[in-house]
Amino acid sequence: MTTTGTVRYWAAAKAAAGTAEEPYAAATLAEALDAARAAHAANPEFARVLLRCSFLVDGDPVGTRDHGAVPLAQGGTVEVLPPFAGG
């Protein structure tokens, strides 16, 4: 079942996306990220940045879980976090 929510980009991900946040319509994290890659296909740097990012879904770290197995909730939030210096 497709849900809607918000993807928030931080630091290099925000710069590559050209926006701080945008909506998603997806059932899983993998679907949301695929849609984001397609929406930003004109900027290849966006896909490269995503490869280095960590993700939080509604405040919970995704870690090494398969993105296709991470469900998204209606009205949820996906945080896209590139590596930060010193942390």
Side-chain angles (χ1 to χ4, degrees):
M1 179 167 127
T2 299
T3 61
T4 59
T6 303
V7 178
R8 290 189 184 137
Y9 300 108
W10 297 95
K14 179 179 173 181
T19 187
E21 63 182 49
E22 61 190 1
Y24 69 73
T28 66
L29 178 58
E31 289 177 14
L33 295 176
D34 286 346
R37 282 184 199 93
H40 299 283
N43 181 4
E45 181 61 17
F46 180 80
R48 284 192 290 272
V49 168
L50 282 187
L51 291 173
R52 300 185 309 266
C53 288
S54 297
F55 305 95
L56 299 176
V57 173
D58 297 328
D60 295 325
V62 171
T64 58
R65 287 185 287 162
D66 175 11
H67 295 169
V70 178
L72 300 179
Q74 181 64 32
T77 303
V78 174
E79 307 278 350
V80 180
L81 307 165
F84 292 91

